[in-house]
Amino acid sequence: MRVSVSAQAVVFSLAFPFLTTAADDASYNASLPFRPNNVTLLHDPYYWVGSYYNGTTELKLMPYTGLAGNDSAQCPLLANTTTTARYDTILALTEPSIRNNGSDPVNAFLMLWDPGFDFSTITSFGWPLVDLPFLQWSYLSSQFVALPIPERLRHSPLPLQIQSQNWFYWELNTTTQSPPYRLSSTITTYYNGAGALRANMTNCTSTEIVPWLIDLGPWAPDNNFAYESEWPAMTVSMEFDGETANYTIRGYFDSYRIYSNGTSRSGGEITHGQFTLRFAGVLDAYHSDILANDTVTPTWLRTVGFNNNSLNIGYTGAAGRTMSAGSSVAAAFAALVLTQVVQLFL
């Protein structure tokens, strides 16, 4: 039996969108939120399916404000002052998976470096996100456990990661049926990020500007360094689409003077107050999958490693197809259709 060229085109257009160019990766598992291993230049922190945004984070510290306004134990020279620190930032919004222990619509990884950091120096494979070179501070909505190293990465001394326990849970505003997606959360558990968040503020005994260690969160150590709930819960909000992302954290902070010998909790120099941490960034299309624009919950069409988006890292121009998460059934259907197509040509 023979079919017309136009009919062949229609059948192939139905079948091929579910096929991928990641077939050379025998370990690829579409049920997990990872890119395939056929992109040889892919490195930290871009292993996850999702959107990546580059931008700046501004940390605004306001000592002696809110419930901390009458704390006489603070440094008096910091009263009525506002300090602002800025960081170069990558925000990764990634697809959750069966390894998450909640029902979050996304995993959010906020990673802060000092201004002017050269991101091209991050060429390691398989580092835990919290150990990325020169990373100052990170705030992750979920933590990680180890994943076996793919063949091409076995030279790395460290394993790849995969999401596990959630640090906090996102609530998705479902009043809209498409981007921009709006999410929020209230954080009451003890988690103040990873790394050492620092800012320069006035010394307690002079007008000298000195470094301070900043702890964000509702929990603070008492005199015996046992963490207790001292402040109200932090609030987190986020909005993103296929072009931009905004991420804001508000709450209270505790800070401790950092001395030349590296100690930070001595001498009685401490201050508290309110803070606002705000990120604004634009999409890094080179490292991002395509965010669908017609779904109630965030959904990505897998493109990095599938050779179907000319803006992506690793794109070579060969025929590629789009695969979304959970499309193994669709792929099986495509294989069946393709079998029928072959039979039509015989």
Side-chain angles (χ1 to χ4, degrees), residues 80-292:
N80 302 314
T81 65
T82 298
T83 297
T84 301
R86 293 179 176 84
Y87 307 86
D88 288 344
T89 303
I90 295 174
L91 172 64
L93 302 180
T94 73
E95 181 182 281
S97 78
I98 58 176
R99 301 296 182 90
N100 284 89
N101 68 347
S103 57
D104 273 359
V106 297
N107 293 301
F109 309 141
L110 186 71
M111 296 164 279
L112 277 58
W113 285 265
D114 285 335
F117 176 72
D118 182 3
F119 288 100
S120 67
T121 60
I122 304 178
T123 56
S124 59
F125 296 95
W127 287 85
L129 287 182
V130 295
D131 293 330
L132 287 176
F134 302 102
L135 180 66
Q136 294 300 309
W137 186 74
S138 62
Y139 202 77
L140 314 178
S141 64
S142 61
Q143 65 174 154
F144 310 95
V145 295
L147 183 75
I149 304 175
E151 183 67 33
R152 72 175 178 86
L153 301 179
R154 289 183 181 172
H155 64 279
S156 171
L158 294 171
L160 286 176
Q161 317 108 31
I162 187 168
Q163 297 91 340
S164 179
Q165 176 182 345
N166 288 19
W167 288 117
F168 60 89
Y169 297 94
W170 290 109
E171 180 179 345
L172 176 67
N173 184 333
T174 57
T175 57
T176 60
Q177 302 297 307
S178 61
Y181 294 109
R182 297 179 176 89
L183 302 95
S184 61
S185 184
T186 300
I187 302 174
T188 57
T189 56
Y190 175 67
Y191 174 63
N192 63 349
L197 188 59
R198 293 181 171 89
N200 293 326
M201 297 191 295
T202 304
N203 191 356
C204 283
T205 56
S206 70
T207 57
E208 177 189 10
I209 302 300
V210 295
W212 290 73
L213 177 68
I214 310 299
D215 281 345
L216 308 181
W219 297 76
D222 61 16
N223 291 333
N224 296 318
F225 300 106
Y227 283 84
E228 298 179 355
S229 180
E230 181 176 4
W231 309 114
M234 294 196 305
T235 60
V236 183
S237 61
M238 181 168 62
E239 178 178 301
F240 70 97
D241 57 22
E243 297 181 359
T244 62
N246 294 279
Y247 188 118
T248 302
I249 307 174
R250 290 186 174 90
Y252 282 80
F253 73 93
D254 294 282
S255 60
Y256 309 87
R257 163 76 191 280
I258 299 175
Y259 296 89
S260 57
N261 62 1
T263 60
S264 61
R265 299 177 189 268
S266 60
E269 298 184 2
I270 184 172
T271 191
H272 318 289
Q274 294 172 297
F275 79 89
T276 300
L277 185 146
R278 181 178 288 110
F279 165 79
V282 296
L283 182 74
D284 173 8
Y286 189 61
H287 292 109
S288 297
D289 297 286
I290 294 178
L291 181 66

Side-chain angles (χ1 to χ4, degrees), residues 56-84:
T56 300
T57 293
E58 180 180 277
L59 174 64
K60 186 177 181 180
L61 302 171
M62 298 158 283
Y64 276 97
T65 58
L67 298 177
N70 298 318
D71 188 346
S72 60
Q74 298 187 76
C75 293
L77 292 180
L78 287 172
N80 302 314
T81 65
T82 298
T83 297
T84 301

Side-chain angles (χ1 to χ4, degrees), residues 6-31:
S6 59
Q8 293 174 21
V10 171
V11 175
F12 271 88
S13 69
L14 291 174
F16 279 177
F18 303 111
L19 303 181
T20 79
T21 59
D24 57 327
D25 178 11
S27 65
Y28 182 71
N29 184 346
S31 69

